[in-house]
Amino acid sequence: MLHPDVVALLTADTLLLLLAVRWPLARRFDDSDRGSGRVVRLPPFRRPSLPRALAFLSVAAAVSTAIVAVRHPRLDQAYHSLVADVLSAADGDPHLAAAYAHSLPPLVPAAVVGYLITVAVVLPATPGRRLMILAHAPVFLGMSVLAECCAALLATATGLPLGPVPLVALVLQSTLGYLLVYRLAFTTFRLPRPTPLPARRHRDWPDSAVLTLCLLAALALVGAAALVLLRQVAGHPLAGFLVLAGLRFSVFDVMLILLALVGLLGPRRSHRPANDRPAVEVIVPAYNEASVIERLLRSIDRAAAAYGGPVRVVLCDDGSTDGTRALAEAAVAAFTSATGEVIQGPHAGKARALNLALERCTAEFVYRVDADCALDPDAFARSVPRFLADPRVGVVGALTLPKEPYTTWIDRMRAMEQLFTYGFSLAALSTVDAVPCVPGTFCGFRREAAVELGGFVDGMFGEDAEFTCALARSGWRVVMDPHTVSYEDVPVKLGQLRVQRFRWGLGNLMNFARFTPFGRGAPGPRFWFQLPRAAGGRLLSPIHFFVLVLTVLHCTLQPLPRHNLARFAVVFLLAQLPALVPRICLVLYYRRARLLLWAPLWPAFAFLKRFFQLESLLACGVRPVRPPAGLRAPARADVLHAQPAGPAR
């Protein structure tokens, strides 16, 4: 029988903890950004540091070992006792509460606490900031216990069995984990202030409704698969957690499949123009691109021939010191289908070069192309109809692939990654206008939208994402068209991959801070779902390392005959299959079957990506502990009024 007073107290505690987490997410306290408007000016970031990242992993392993190896008291038993005591106080059945509590593996709370301790030790910060980082640990423990108890009380109140409750609790813990890492990032790092652009979006509710329904359906399908697998592991809590943790990553993939089906069942759109071939213009920023500029311009000319309409190229030479300009002028003079000109820029950065080229444009549709790219002959013919079919579409992206031939294992892994990301994931998300970033390597946009926005901006990582989200916030829809193909240079060495992922990791965090739904509203699924999910995934990535280490240590130090390290490894690998199947299907669909021969190297590629993302996280500037800006300003004003006036000057 439930005790109403205890349940009311638990509810009040939950609301207070959520309020303590929610307030910093509004981002009304940080004055790190000295820029104005859309321009961001932050203190310099630290460089990538291999010793710092290795120190993080070493401290993480030591902290995880201590969590598992400690015996007096055993931390997992202490957590079970806490959950059992709180639950028995609410429902009055201590035996049921104890049985339920012992079915919960406390790996998520242990991983989060270990992560917080490690960050506090490794991150270059003041003692006060380290203490503030550690203060998140009891907050999450309290939220985790309340989530476990609330899930069990909900099942008790509705008469449902407690078997599926750990699955519900894991979903709640994951959601709370996202909120906690947002709070940790926003209060710890120096980040851009929220965008000043107002939200001018309308008619978003159908997109939000479709995405919500697909997400709930994906949770139901993956949850059913989890219950089937849980019966096969004899109820061991650790094995059950491995099943749930493995399938958790499948929820997003299943949701994408459902969104793709919605797109296929929706209105059919032609990918080729009939008689309407409006003029398009192409802007190209170039700095010391002598080795690739001719290939790009020849590909644009071929695409113009296939398109059949007027195509004009404006290439801005951003102060090159090699033969870029001369080669570009010769290639433009040799055009047979397109026209163009080469203008000179002052070597003031890519954004300035793009804006100078944009000022020369008059066509309704403009394409931005990086100098190291190449276009498929049908690039314009397939993408222009997306603008013509819907006047709300402001940006069209493409399936971007590495240039062939492939020469290393890294560009092959990148090809597999791009096939899934641009050929499926972002294309499915564009069904509900949830694409967070269209890469600037190749994209089309409406000139009036870009001009109204003020063009492109420098001064922060993630300029492409900022441009995409800024246009979307102004009311324009974003579409990824996998039938439009472009090609780009990709990293072929580990050093190049490291630089790329370091920059992307910082850019993702900067853009999320810029367009956070907590501080500037959430107009559409892009802002309330995809941006938080992508940023949270990167912020939570180090916690997955703790889960893996804790699992291995638990299996090694406390093995059981039926649940040892080998058995857990098999269960975990089986749980990954739902995520692998769509990727394999996409490689086959795009006729890249030879890439599957390199698939065994994918785990190594995924580990390197996460390692480089960790480097970017540890390179962020750290805020000192001081009162919020709103409280400091009145204090400074009081001090100024109290000082005697100086001599007039």
Side-chain angles (χ1 to χ4, degrees), residues 277-632:
R277 294 177 175 84
V280 300
E281 290 176 299
V282 184
I283 58 176
V284 182
Y287 175 70
N288 288 349
E289 302 285 1
S291 61
V292 294
I293 195 65
E294 291 178 296
R295 176 177 177 175
L296 167 65
L297 293 174
R298 286 196 299 267
S299 72
I300 293 176
D301 194 38
R302 288 193 297 268
Y307 177 57
V311 176
R312 177 172 172 268
V313 179
V314 181
L315 186 146
C316 181
D317 176 37
D318 190 30
S320 297
T321 57
D322 61 1
T324 296
R325 176 158 188 171
L327 292 171
E329 289 175 338
V332 169
F335 278 166
T336 59
S337 300
T339 60
E341 65 174 317
V342 179
I343 63 175
Q344 187 62 49
H347 190 46
K350 180 185 286 189
R352 178 60 175 159
L354 286 168
N355 289 331
L356 287 174
L358 183 62
E359 290 174 0
R360 302 290 188 100
C361 295
T362 58
E364 182 180 2
F365 306 120
V366 178
Y367 286 81
R368 168 190 171 179
V369 185
D370 279 355
D372 61 348
C373 296
L375 304 187
D376 187 82
D378 290 334
F380 303 132
R382 290 187 178 275
S383 57
V384 169
R386 304 306 296 264
F387 289 112
L388 301 178
D390 189 348
R392 298 174 300 166
V393 171
V395 182
V396 175
L399 168 58
T400 304
L401 294 173
K403 290 179 181 177
E404 297 187 30
Y406 303 146
T407 57
T408 69
W409 74 279
I410 295 178
D411 54 13
R412 290 176 170 87
M413 294 300 100
R414 179 64 179 144
M416 294 179 64
E417 182 183 41
Q418 288 176 291
L419 285 173
F420 182 80
T421 301
Y422 302 123
F424 174 63
S425 176
L426 294 181
L429 287 172
S430 65
T431 302
V432 289
D433 194 25
V435 176
C437 175
V438 175
T441 51
F442 174 82
C443 72
F445 56 89
R446 293 183 187 268
R447 184 181 62 84
E448 62 171 300
V451 171
E452 180 185 12
L453 193 63
F456 302 87
V457 295
D458 267 333
M460 63 178 293
F461 291 87
E463 294 88 348
D464 300 338
E466 194 278 341
F467 181 72
T468 303
C469 289
L471 282 180
R473 194 171 179 85
S474 299
W476 298 98
R477 296 180 69 86
V478 178
V479 171
M480 292 295 296
D481 183 13
H483 298 88
T484 304
V485 182
S486 67
Y487 304 91
E488 65 172 352
D489 287 332
V490 298
V492 294
K493 298 180 180 179
L494 284 180
Q496 296 171 343
L497 181 66
R498 181 188 185 194
V499 171
Q500 181 194 66
R501 298 309 164 121
F502 180 84
R503 179 170 56 86
W504 286 4
L506 282 176
N508 180 271
L509 182 58
M510 299 299 111
N511 197 60
F512 176 61
R514 196 75 162 137
F515 293 95
T516 171
F518 308 106
R520 290 293 289 166
R526 170 185 297 99
F527 298 101
W528 67 259
F529 176 78
Q530 183 58 16
L531 271 178
R533 190 204 67 82
R538 285 178 167 84
L539 292 170
L540 282 170
S541 181
I543 298 179
H544 302 152
F545 174 77
F546 282 90
V547 171
L548 177 62
V549 172
L550 287 168
T551 302
V552 172
L553 290 171
H554 193 284
C555 298
T556 304
L557 300 178
Q558 303 174 12
L560 294 174
R562 294 188 58 199
H563 302 286
N564 51 38
L565 186 60
R567 186 179 180 88
F568 289 163
V570 172
V571 171
F572 186 72
L573 290 175
L574 289 176
Q576 310 305 309
L577 291 180
L580 293 176
V581 170
R583 287 164 172 80
I584 294 174
C585 292
L586 281 168
V587 171
L588 296 175
Y589 175 78
Y590 285 105
R591 301 178 182 178
R592 300 291 198 283
R594 286 179 296 179
L595 292 175
L596 296 179
L597 298 175
W598 298 80
L601 295 176
W602 180 260
F605 183 71
F607 172 79
L608 288 173
K609 290 195 302 178
R610 293 188 177 185
F611 185 81
F612 299 147
Q613 288 173 6
L614 174 63
E615 278 192 306
S616 68
L617 186 66
L618 297 176
C620 289
V622 180
R623 299 176 59 240
V625 177
R626 55 187 177 182
L631 298 180
R632 294 200 306 273

Side-chain angles (χ1 to χ4, degrees), residues 54-134:
L54 292 177
F56 182 94
L57 298 182
S58 300
V59 174
V63 171
S64 300
T65 303
I67 290 175
V68 175
V70 68
R71 290 290 183 271
H72 303 290
R74 282 187 55 177
L75 298 182
D76 57 342
Q77 293 181 354
Y79 182 82
H80 290 156
S81 299
L82 181 58
V83 174
D85 291 343
V86 174
L87 187 57
S88 62
D91 69 359
D93 190 344
H95 298 292
L96 182 62
Y100 168 73
H102 283 278
S103 69
L104 303 172
L107 279 182
V108 172
V112 172
V113 171
Y115 170 68
L116 293 171
I117 294 173
T118 304
V119 169
V121 171
V122 176
L123 198 66
T126 63
R129 176 54 60 194
R130 296 180 194 273
L131 291 175
M132 295 302 293
I133 293 172
L134 290 174

Side-chain angles (χ1 to χ4, degrees), residues 163-208:
V165 170
L167 177 61
V168 178
L170 180 65
V171 173
L172 290 176
Q173 282 183 331
S174 299
T175 304
L176 296 174
Y178 275 90
L179 292 176
L180 184 84
V181 296
Y182 298 152
R183 189 190 195 283
L184 177 69
F186 288 165
T187 56
T188 302
F189 299 125
R190 297 182 184 272
L191 299 172
R193 66 170 59 91
T195 180
L197 295 173
R200 296 189 300 176
R201 296 187 63 84
H202 305 287
R203 297 179 291 173
D204 291 320
W205 70 265
D207 293 328
S208 295

